[in-house]
Amino acid sequence: EAGVVQSPRYKIIEKKQPVAFWCNPISGHNTLYWYLQNLGQGPELLIRYENEEAVDDSQLPKDRFSAERLKGVDSTLKIQPAELGDSAVYLCASSFATGTSGDTQYFGPGTRLTVL
Amino acid sequence: GENVEQHPSTLSVQEGDSAVIKCTYSDSASNYFPWYKQELGKGPQLIIDIRSNVGEKKDQRIAVTLNKTAKHFSLHITETQPEDSAVYFCAAHAGGTSYGKLTFGQGTILTVHP
């Protein structure tokens, strides 16, 4: 079974440029998460989707970040414009929501963003 | 919101020794506690998890214990091997209005020396 797929794996851009990350979750997983991981720290949730609905985007900096999951499968996270402080690893995860306490989240390899 | 503290930040052991990593959480409503292993350049990989209705869970060389009263949980790795070297993260899931949100600890860099 294929895991969570993310692309690109690495991205280097100049500050003020736009950038987009793509994620394809595990087949059948209806919940998708985007996390930010700064160097030496644990992942922090940016946004969570249940199917195509963003049910928790409280940690997403909406002035420059946006995300979509139009058909409830793959998702795109965008930053426009990028700032130096956005350099980090952007992780995507997915889970099959069972409605019970805590659903196992499976992570992709991440996209390492460097903003110059 | 939930706050998870993880210790130690670095841990160095000899091959064959045991390793213990400890985490505390703040929200008594938290009910699910996964542990992830992250190797360089890869995403976190789930290695074991425990739910609040269980006190201990074991999977081969890995075990996790949970003390709900004290709000702490621990990862135990026995007979460590060099391939266990990685960064380990604990996490807590609060449930309720925060359903689906995992709060992670700061990570422990485990080094197993041959």
Side-chain angles (χ1 to χ4, degrees):
Chain A
E1 176 183 303
V4 176
V5 179
Q6 291 188 246
S7 69
R9 292 294 316 278
Y10 305 91
K11 189 72 176 179
I12 301 174
I13 61 171
E14 299 281 335
K15 63 180 180 181
K16 301 184 181 180
Q17 294 300 306
V19 64
F21 315 123
W22 177 81
C23 172
N24 188 257
I26 292 173
S27 177
H29 282 193
N30 50 355
T31 305
L32 183 146
Y33 314 76
W34 283 102
Y35 285 87
L36 166 70
Q37 186 174 28
N38 286 306
L39 187 65
Q41 297 183 24
E44 299 172 42
L45 181 69
L46 289 173
I47 189 169
R48 175 170 69 94
Y49 282 93
E50 287 185 8
N51 299 304
E52 64 274 9
E53 181 182 0
V55 296
D56 183 358
D57 63 355
S58 57
Q59 303 302 311
L60 190 72
K62 298 181 182 65
D63 57 335
R64 297 184 301 107
F65 286 66
S66 64
E68 61 183 15
R69 193 185 185 200
L70 295 176
K71 296 183 179 180
V73 181
D74 56 347
S75 175
T76 302
L77 177 69
K78 299 179 181 178
I79 308 174
Q80 183 171 9
E83 297 179 351
L84 295 176
D86 296 332
S87 295
V89 175
Y90 292 82
L91 294 163
C92 180
S94 70
S95 68
F96 179 71
T98 62
T100 59
S101 60
D103 301 312
T104 300
Q105 297 184 25
Y106 298 89
F107 284 81
T111 296
R112 180 174 296 277
L113 173 67
T114 301
V115 182
L116 302 176
Chain B
E2 176 66 278
N3 183 51
V4 177
E5 297 286 336
Q6 182 173 346
H7 298 282
S9 56
T10 61
L11 181 58
S12 182
V13 301
Q14 289 296 127
E15 182 177 1
D17 289 349
S18 295
V20 180
I21 302 171
K22 299 182 179 181
C23 289
T24 60
Y25 60 98
S26 61
D27 190 343
S28 57
S30 289
N31 52 23
Y32 171 64
F33 307 91
W35 285 88
Y36 286 85
K37 175 184 181 182
Q38 187 172 26
E39 298 176 317
L40 196 62
K42 297 184 179 180
Q45 178 186 10
L46 180 74
I47 56 172
I48 195 167
D49 57 12
I50 191 167
R51 300 186 186 273
S52 57
N53 58 346
V54 176
E56 183 174 357
K57 183 177 179 180
K58 187 175 182 179
D59 183 4
Q60 299 183 353
R61 297 186 298 109
I62 296 173
V64 57
T65 58
L66 171 65
N67 184 324
K68 288 180 58 181
T69 302
K71 290 190 285 187
H72 67 70
F73 56 113
S74 301
L75 177 71
H76 304 252
I77 306 175
T78 59
E79 300 173 19
T80 54
Q81 301 167 4
E83 50 265 39
D84 294 329
S85 296
V87 182
Y88 290 81
F89 291 98
C90 63
H93 172 274
T97 56
S98 298
Y99 181 84
K101 179 177 180 178
L102 284 179
T103 301
F104 285 80
Q106 301 90 333
T108 297
I109 302 173
L110 174 64
T111 304
V112 180
H113 299 282

